[in-house]
Amino acid sequence: MIILKIGGSSLTIKDSKKSEVNTTGLLRIAREIKSSLDNSCKDLIIVHGAGSFGHPPAKRYKIGEKFDTCEYPQKRIGFCETQNSVKKLNMHVCDEFIKEGLPVVAIPASSFMTATNKRITDGKLEMFNKYLNKGFIPIIYGDVVLDNDLEICVISGDQLVQYLALNLNPNKVILATDVDGVYNKNPKTHDDAMFFEKFTSLKDLDTLEGTTNVDVTGGMIGKIKELLYLADLGIESKIINAEVEDNIFKALEDMEVKGTVISRGN
Ligand code: ADP
């Protein structure tokens, strides 16, 4: 089984203040996944980020920060607004994927997962296996969930990857984003950033810069932390660039593709 995460920055117009889908990117990605499935049968779970659909409302309502009881009505609406917005992105993604012949079925985190201090602590995954067994592609995305400590919080697509990988034992974990992989500093803002083919420790980073967009869930650092945790448990993952044509296809097909492998080994 393969877990493929498609970053919100590749699916949406990253710097857009309003929610906008990157329609050409989405169509190309759908076709690459379809070509790979046509090539050989594989069990696939797709996770996608929230991009410009999730981060602006989550940030506006400060979802995930402590608040007074009197603020609850406002926070609740913020939760609903964010949940509805990421659901819309997922609808766009599913529309396009189904049009291309991919049998995707959405399993939203907000409908069955809960967190404790922003970490998923409950969420039974048997439906993933049931759908996989029937030949579907389960699809889950960055979302808002109830939190035992903070009432509500945001769960990133990257944390979902970690939780699914931990509990479902995939053969392969691929994260497709908008850069080639991990560098010692943000390659979007530093021309001299050095690329890592293999990444084993946060100490290798020069600066702990998150992301260039309005991400509320940690950007590249958030991603790496989730993946290093998996690496500690012996689950290797690879970050690749979704914006380079055929990269997703190649990664799904086990072909050579530029990217950063996150592992603890040498
Ligand atoms: P996604 O939406 O695909 O999950 P993010 O926007 O959250 O991706 O994170 C990817 C971004 O992280 C890149 O666009 C890049 O600008 C930024 N970034 C910050 N530091 C680094 C780094 N050291 N290496 C690679 N990318 C970095």
Side-chain angles (χ1 to χ4, degrees), residues 5 7-9 14 177-178 181 183 186 188 210-211 215 219-220 223:
K5 190 224 163 188
S9 46
K14 190 159 167 167
T177 182
D178 68 340
Y183 292 76
N186 189 347
K188 294 259 163 107
T211 173
D215 202 328
M220 187 53 76
K223 213 179 299 303

Side-chain angles (χ1 to χ4, degrees), residues 4-12 14 22 24-33 47-49 97 174-181 188 220 223 238-251 257-260:
L4 168 68
K5 190 224 163 188
I6 308 162
S9 46
S10 306
L11 294 174
T12 65
K14 190 159 167 167
N22 172 0
T24 42
L26 177 57
L27 176 61
R28 183 180 47 75
I29 290 169
R31 288 188 174 155
E32 288 186 29
I33 297 170
V47 179
H48 71 76
F97 281 19
I174 306 163
L175 284 94
T177 182
D178 68 340
V179 286
D180 285 344
K188 294 259 163 107
M220 187 53 76
K223 213 179 299 303
K238 189 165 183 178
I239 300 178
I240 60 161
N241 196 339
E243 288 171 20
V244 175
E245 198 166 338
D246 276 342
N247 263 5
I248 290 182
F249 172 79
K250 288 180 184 161
V257 73
K258 182 171 184 184
T260 301

Side-chain angles (χ1 to χ4, degrees), residues 58-257:
K59 205 167 185 175
R60 194 163 59 249
Y61 288 97
K62 300 194 173 88
I63 310 277
E65 289 181 25
K66 286 208 169 85
F67 59 90
D68 293 333
T69 319
C70 63
E71 293 175 86
Y72 213 147
Q74 174 81 346
K75 288 284 181 179
R76 230 172 349 231
I77 283 294
F79 181 97
C80 300
E81 225 180 84
T82 312
Q83 197 242 17
N84 203 36
S85 186
V86 294
K87 189 163 68 183
K88 282 181 195 156
L89 172 60
N90 177 253
M91 293 260 294
H92 287 292
V93 173
C94 290
D95 274 349
E96 205 59 55
F97 281 19
I98 293 166
K99 257 191 254 163
E100 292 304 311
L102 293 167
V104 284
V105 57
I107 309 181
S110 50
S111 68
F112 76 104
M113 284 180 164
T114 51
T116 305
N117 197 16
K118 302 187 196 181
R119 303 300 301 173
I120 304 162
T121 42
D122 188 39
K124 295 197 172 47
L125 301 177
E126 68 256 46
M127 284 311 285
F128 283 77
N129 282 323
K130 285 189 179 175
Y131 277 118
L132 283 173
N133 288 339
K134 302 276 179 205
F136 289 93
I137 302 174
I139 185 163
I140 187 168
Y141 47 92
D143 206 346
V144 278
V145 301
L146 294 178
D147 188 297
N148 294 317
D149 288 340
L150 303 160
E151 304 293 346
I152 53 176
C153 73
V154 175
I155 292 296
S156 69
D158 297 323
Q159 189 183 157
L160 288 168
V161 169
Q162 191 252 77
Y163 185 81
L164 295 177
L166 202 64
N167 289 287
L168 295 174
N169 217 8
N171 309 92
K172 204 191 283 189
V173 180
I174 306 163
L175 284 94
T177 182
D178 68 340
V179 286
D180 285 344
V182 185
Y183 292 76
N184 64 335
K185 43 193 166 182
N186 189 347
K188 294 259 163 107
T189 48
H190 298 90
D191 289 342
D192 61 340
M194 262 167 37
F195 178 71
F196 293 107
E197 286 199 342
K198 194 162 200 167
F199 191 83
T200 53
S201 162
L202 275 181
K203 289 195 205 100
D204 294 336
L205 294 180
D206 282 11
T207 52
L208 289 181
E209 217 175 297
T211 173
T212 45
N213 66 9
V214 286
D215 202 328
V216 290
T217 53
M220 187 53 76
I221 301 297
K223 213 179 299 303
I224 297 169
K225 283 184 183 163
E226 302 292 352
L227 300 179
L228 282 174
Y229 180 77
L230 283 182
D232 280 339
L233 302 170
I235 305 170
E236 213 175 74
S237 54
K238 189 165 183 178
I239 300 178
I240 60 161
N241 196 339
E243 288 171 20
V244 175
E245 198 166 338
D246 276 342
N247 263 5
I248 290 182
F249 172 79
K250 288 180 184 161
L252 289 173
E253 288 302 296
D254 260 338
M255 290 160 75
E256 182 71 31
V257 73

